[in-house]
Structures are given as structure tokens and as C-alpha cells.
Amino acid sequence: MATTNISIRMDSDVKARADALFAELGMNLSTAFNIFVRQSLREGGLPFRVRLETPNKETMAAMLEAERIAKDPSVKGYTDLDELFTDLKK
């Protein structure tokens, strides 16, 4: 089997974390990448689901409400947990 070299650009922190993970699994980044490519070929695509995480209507409504509350100057804010819990008990 003939081999070839490839070059991949990757954030240095991500590479260091990947190196550590794969070392724990008993392999290096090159072996892990080869496993990924071979599995992609077997499956005819990426070996995991790639998708956008779109919030459902309930989550979107909660996010919009949180934004509204954060911008509302009449809503009391807290920097002290004890004060927050005291008010919650009222």
C-alpha cells in the first residue's frame, strides 16, 4: 500500500487536546484521522450527523423573554445569591 502525506491546518489548542485524547486511546492523530477517513468511506459520508441546532419554539420564546428581561430597567437584577434566594422565598 502506497502512502502519501497530507497537511491539515488546525488550531494549536485543538491539536494538543486531540493529541492527548488519542494518546489515551493508544494512537496518534494520524491514526485517528485514517480511522475517520476509512469510516467515512464505509458509510459514504461523514460517520456522524452534521446539523444545525435550531431551537424549538418553546426554547426560542424563552430566549426572547430572557433578552427582554435583561434589557428591562424595571426588572430587579441580583449580584448576591443570598439576596436572590431571600426574594424567591417571599
Side-chain angles (χ1 to χ4, degrees):
M1 169 179 79
T3 62
T4 186
N5 290 326
I6 62 169
S7 177
I8 300 172
R9 294 193 183 277
M10 182 182 297
D11 179 274
S12 59
D13 180 58
V14 171
K15 182 186 181 298
R17 291 171 49 206
D19 283 336
L21 170 66
F22 297 133
E24 285 288 318
L25 295 171
M27 67 183 84
N28 60 25
L29 191 57
S30 179
T31 301
F33 182 75
N34 273 292
I35 291 170
F36 166 77
V37 170
R38 288 175 186 274
Q39 189 64 31
S40 296
L41 292 170
R42 280 187 198 98
E43 295 193 21
L46 293 176
F48 46 83
R49 191 169 163 194
V50 177
R51 60 192 163 137
L52 294 174
E53 293 294 333
T54 306
N56 63 27
K57 288 181 183 181
E58 182 180 1
T59 302
M60 187 54 90
M63 291 167 57
L64 292 172
E65 180 182 11
E67 286 179 12
R68 181 190 56 76
I69 290 170
K71 292 177 184 175
D72 187 343
S74 67
V75 174
K76 183 175 180 180
Y78 296 92
T79 57
D80 179 11
L81 282 177
D82 292 329
E83 182 183 2
L84 169 65
F85 287 123
T86 299
D87 282 358
L88 285 173
K89 292 177 184 176
K90 290 181 184 178

